[in-house]
Amino acid sequence: MRWGSSAASSTELVSAGSSATPCFAGRWLVHRTEGDFNAFLIDMGQSWVIRTAARTLNYGLGRVEVGCEQISHNEFKFEKILTDPLACESHIHVSVGEVVLHFKDDIGELTATSRWEGDEVLRFDATADATSLPLTLLMYLTSEGEFVEEMISGRGTSVKYIFASQN
C-alpha cells in the first residue's frame, strides 16, 4: 500500500501488522505556512524580541529544513535546521509510545510523549520546559505528498509548517 508513485517515495506507507503508517523519510523544506504565528508565540510565552525575529525570518518560509530517517513503524530520527541566516539545529530520536522525550524545537526545550493518532498522524503531547505551557505537535502527510508539522498551543492556536520534498 502506498500514497506515492515510486518505491523510494517519501509518501510510501510503512506496514506494521494490519495497519500502515506514513513514511516521513526524506528531506523537507518549508514552502508554506498557515495560521497566526504571532498569536501562537504569544500563547507559548515568547518575548517580543523572539516574535519579531521570527516574523523577520518569515516564520521559516524557505529556511526551515527537516530531515527524517524512518527506521521502522515506530522509530524515527528527525533533524530540524534553520538554514539561513544562522544555523540552528535540533535532533530528536523518537521511539513512538516508549519513552519521555527531551528535545529542542522552535520555541525552546520541550518534554514530550509520542503516540500514533489513528494510522496517519504522529502526535506529541509536550510541555515547554521554560514556561510549563502545554503544546501539541502533529506530524502527517497531505494527499499532495507534503509533510506537515502542526503546532497547537494550550489555548488552541494552531500553526502549520508545510514542507515540500527535497528528494
Side-chain angles (χ1 to χ4, degrees), residues 1-4 8-16 19-26 28 68-78 96 115-123 138-148:
M1 193 164 37
R2 65 180 63 236
W3 289 352
S9 172
S10 58
T11 56
E12 184 176 320
L13 294 178
V14 177
S15 293
S19 66
T21 55
C23 180
F24 300 138
W28 305 89
C68 178
E69 177 185 351
Q70 188 156 350
I71 299 159
S72 71
H73 163 74
N74 280 331
E75 190 173 359
F76 306 85
K77 289 183 181 178
F78 290 103
V96 178
R115 63 184 167 92
W116 285 106
E117 191 170 272
D119 289 335
E120 298 179 0
V121 178
L122 180 56
R123 178 186 176 118
L138 306 174
M139 293 181 176
Y140 52 91
L141 298 174
T142 68
S143 60
E144 293 82 27
E146 299 164 309
F147 173 68
V148 178

Side-chain angles (χ1 to χ4, degrees), residues 74-93:
N74 280 331
E75 190 173 359
F76 306 85
K77 289 183 181 178
F78 290 103
E79 171 187 59
K80 192 174 198 178
I81 302 170
L82 174 61
T83 58
D84 182 38
L86 38 115
C88 297
E89 294 188 29
S90 176
H91 300 271
I92 179 173
H93 188 141

Side-chain angles (χ1 to χ4, degrees), residues 6 13 29 32 44-45 48 50 56 60-61 69 71 88 98 103-104 120 122-123 131 134 137 139 147 152 157 161 163:
S6 73
L13 294 178
L29 182 68
R32 195 170 82 236
M44 295 309 302
W48 176 85
I50 296 293
T56 300
L61 190 61
E69 177 185 351
I71 299 159
C88 297
E98 293 184 19
F103 60 96
K104 183 176 182 179
E120 298 179 0
L122 180 56
R123 178 186 176 118
T131 61
L137 302 171
M139 293 181 176
F147 173 68
I152 307 164
T157 304
Y161 282 136
F163 296 83

Side-chain angles (χ1 to χ4, degrees), residues 128-139:
D129 293 350
T131 61
S132 298
L133 293 171
L135 169 69
T136 301
L137 302 171
L138 306 174
M139 293 181 176

